[in-house]
Amino acid sequence: MARTPKSSAGEPPQKVVCNICGRMVTREELGVDLGCRHPGAPNICRICAHAILDTLATCQDPECMMHIQEIADRRESAQLPEEESAPSQASGAPLSWETLKTPREIYDYLSQYCYGQDQAKKTLSVAVFNHYKRVLHERLLPGDKKPEGGAQEVELIKSNVLMVGPTGSGKTLLAQALARFLQVPFAISDATTLTEAGYVGEDVENILLRLVQAADYDLSKAEVGIVYVDEIDKIARKTQNVSITRDVSGEGVQQALLKILENTVANIPPKGGRKHPEQEYLHLNTKNILFICGGAFVGLDKIVERRGGTRQLGFLSEAQKESAAPGTPAPAPMGEVEPEDLVQFGLIPEFVGRLPIVTTLKELSQEDLLHILTEPKNSLVRQYQELMRLSGVELVFTQDALETVAAIAHTKGTGARGLRAIMEKRMLDVMFDLPGGPVKDGAFQARCVIDAAVIRGEHPALLQSLEKPARRRRRS
């Protein structure tokens, strides 16, 4: 029988998920704990445990019986206190004022992985910091008394974030960097697979299931986590006209997300998939979960321009001719996005209202792409140099080669993702002829120099051997 942790009177029994059938059971109903609470020890309910024992009873394999005896011996020899439990995969320093990162610390960490986009990094840093200040503000330590007429009586409401920016501008990269830095559960989901309840596809509760899994099924930790929903623009209404058919992957998904974004107790299937009658659910309160949504919103800039009156029929005005002159930076309409623009794009007003913080990421210029190649911690040049180093080859990029890569990627209009496509195309031949061995005694076996001519495809990259030829012995 599994050890039952002591709980204070009046508290509901803690439930866990059976790793075989997925049922929610209390710790008293567990049948197997493998003798000790080591990381990864499975939770198996009594029903599944009896089914396993019935199967093993018919087994005559001596090796199988030996393993069963080893498990039984380990259960008898384990002397662990009752309160000890398996460490969670999402374990770390508990959320407190001491462990709370300041906006400047969050901003500096994001800057290590994402070049530019200062406004978006500041917005994310302040939003995350204020969110967890709000969570800590609502918590009262045991024995603390709520002050009368003090600041504790003020209820702070969370503010979800919407990131708008073209493809390859760094939206997903910022979310991934936040997930590595924060000491709270963080889940990244994709809105393109979501559909309305009852239709083929994933229900909206699956984005919360990924958060629960990131918290190792610890609901108390998951309830203060962060969820990033990517490609949120793909659930916009396809047309402004009223249709007799249901938009199950567009407006229907927005309506299903309304209560989850704000404050509700969501019923989540422990193993995902469809809900069905008599199924036990995980009950997750989304009040303290911060939602960050991101999308490219292709065509939104045209809506902003029409609202601002910067476009007109006929020829351009004199002011527009001056702004469109060569060498003059074009205006950035995405920085002036208003809620009415998002509604005209296809988001329903109720959904837009639950994302009060809107930050935009600017399109990367050629100079930005040049810095992205070399400056971030996981820059593309460093990745390829490390990849070649594992094969004993020293990889060198000339400055004109980097400038050529940035220029070609800028003309393609795919942002930072276009850099990798160009590099992969030009590095294919040289990686095909790589030697198999790693670096020997700290010395490279070969050297490869990539210049602008290689990037333009005028000639392939070549490997230059650095191994000294063996000296021939003189014949006497």
Side-chain angles (χ1 to χ4, degrees):
M1 182 69 62
R3 296 176 177 83
T4 305
K6 297 179 180 179
S7 59
S8 57
E11 292 184 359
Q14 183 182 6
K15 289 190 175 184
V16 295
V17 180
C18 174
N19 296 116
I20 295 181
C21 65
R23 294 176 59 249
M24 293 293 298
V25 296
T26 61
R27 293 195 175 274
E28 291 84 350
E29 297 173 340
L30 289 180
V32 178
D33 71 347
L34 296 186
C36 59
R37 290 295 180 185
H38 59 81
N43 295 320
I44 304 177
C45 66
R46 295 180 182 177
I47 298 177
C48 295
H50 285 302
I52 294 173
L53 292 176
D54 292 342
T55 304
L56 293 176
T58 60
C59 179
Q60 303 297 329
D61 188 358
E63 185 176 356
C64 179
M65 301 304 297
M66 181 181 65
H67 288 310
I68 296 175
Q69 186 62 39
E70 290 178 357
I71 295 175
D73 295 341
R74 187 167 57 189
R75 291 187 72 251
E76 294 177 358
S77 60
Q79 300 293 333
L80 295 178
E82 294 182 353
E83 292 83 0
E84 185 173 351
S85 60
S88 172
Q89 295 177 359
S91 61
L95 184 63
S96 63
W97 290 107
E98 290 75 17
T99 60
L100 183 62
K101 304 298 183 181
T102 63
R104 173 60 64 179
E105 292 175 339
I106 300 175
Y107 175 87
D108 292 340
Y109 184 83
L110 294 179
S111 298
Q112 297 180 18
Y113 295 92
C114 182
Y115 176 82
Q117 311 296 2
D118 294 335
Q119 188 63 32
K121 289 186 290 189
K122 287 181 181 179
T123 303
L124 284 178
S125 303
V126 173
V128 171
F129 179 69
N130 288 340
H131 173 70
Y132 287 112
K133 277 201 306 184
R134 168 184 166 273
V135 173
L136 293 173
H137 173 77
E138 294 183 352
R139 290 183 178 178
L140 287 177
L141 297 177
D144 291 348
K145 294 183 179 180
K146 186 175 182 179
E148 297 181 359
Q152 187 65 33
E153 295 183 356
V154 178
E155 183 179 359
L156 303 178
I157 307 300
K158 70 175 179 180
S159 298
N160 299 318
V161 183
L162 174 63
M163 292 195 299
V164 179
T167 178
S169 58
K171 300 182 296 296
T172 308
L173 182 64
L174 287 174
Q176 293 171 347
L178 266 180
R180 289 191 295 264
F181 183 65
L182 297 177
Q183 298 177 350
V184 295
F186 194 106
I188 299 179
S189 301
D190 198 335
T192 56
T193 60
L194 301 179
T195 57
E196 193 175 349
Y199 292 87
V200 176
E202 293 187 0
D203 292 343
V204 294
E205 286 82 8
N206 283 350
I207 66 177
L208 298 177
L209 175 63
R210 293 185 178 93
L211 182 64
V212 174
Q213 292 171 344
D216 200 13
Y217 285 90
D218 189 338
L219 298 183
S220 60
K221 290 184 178 180
E223 287 179 348
V224 294
I226 298 178
V227 174
Y228 175 72
V229 186
D230 203 1
E231 307 293 349
I232 198 66
D233 57 318
K234 304 306 184 294
I235 63 172
R237 287 184 296 186
K238 305 301 184 291
T239 177
Q240 297 291 335
N241 300 328
V242 179
S243 176
I244 60 175
T245 59
R246 296 183 63 88
D247 188 6
V248 297
S249 62
E251 185 176 354
V253 177
Q254 297 183 47
Q255 295 171 354
L257 286 171
L258 293 180
K259 293 303 295 181
I260 291 180
L261 289 177
E262 194 171 31
N263 180 13
T264 189
V265 178
N267 297 324
I268 308 171
K271 288 192 173 183
R274 289 293 175 191
K275 298 179 181 178
H276 57 81
E278 300 181 0
Q279 182 182 14
E280 297 190 22
Y281 302 103
L282 301 173
H283 303 288
L284 185 68
N285 192 342
T286 64
K287 179 182 179 181
N288 293 327
I289 297 178
L290 178 64
F291 288 88
I292 303 174
C293 302
F297 289 88
V298 178
L300 183 62
D301 54 342
K302 303 295 187 301
I303 298 176
V304 178
E305 288 178 354
R306 288 197 298 267
R307 175 179 57 83
T310 57
R311 297 297 302 273
Q312 53 186 241
L313 296 175
F315 298 100
L316 293 176
S317 63
E318 293 298 328
Q320 291 173 331
K321 288 181 181 179
E322 294 178 1
S323 64
T328 304
M334 296 292 281
E336 303 174 359
V337 174
E338 297 292 340
E340 58 185 274
D341 302 323
L342 297 172
V343 173
Q344 189 174 357
F345 181 82
L347 301 182
I348 60 177
E350 302 94 322
F351 187 79
V352 175
R354 285 165 171 80
L355 299 169
I357 302 178
V358 179
T359 181
T360 57
L361 287 80
K362 64 183 182 66
E363 185 176 359
L364 298 175
S365 63
Q366 182 174 336
E367 184 180 356
D368 294 333
L369 294 172
L370 181 60
H371 288 286
I372 289 172
L373 281 172
T374 56
E375 291 189 9
K377 196 170 185 179
N378 289 336
S379 66
L380 205 57
V381 170
R382 294 180 182 178
Q383 293 182 34
Y384 278 101
Q385 287 177 341
E386 178 65 16
L387 196 63
M388 301 287 279
R389 188 193 66 82
L390 296 176
S391 297
V393 177
E394 180 185 9
L395 181 62
V396 178
F397 286 92
T398 62
Q399 184 63 26
D400 59 345
L402 299 177
E403 294 174 355
T404 305
V405 172
I408 297 176
H410 185 258
T411 57
K412 292 182 178 297
T414 54
R417 291 189 177 95
L419 298 173
R420 181 176 292 275
I422 299 170
M423 299 281 281
E424 286 286 347
K425 183 178 181 180
R426 297 309 176 193
M427 294 290 296
L428 176 63
D429 293 335
V430 68
M431 288 191 293
F432 182 77
D433 296 326
L434 284 178
V439 178
K440 298 179 180 179
D441 301 328
F444 291 101
Q445 304 176 27
R447 190 169 186 262
C448 180
V449 179
I450 305 296
D451 55 13
V454 175
I455 300 300
R456 290 192 295 264
E458 297 177 2
H459 64 79
L462 301 177
L463 290 175
Q464 304 173 2
S465 178
L466 298 179
E467 295 182 352
K468 297 181 180 180
R471 296 182 179 179
R472 296 181 179 179
R473 294 182 180 180
R474 295 182 178 178
R475 294 181 180 179
S476 56

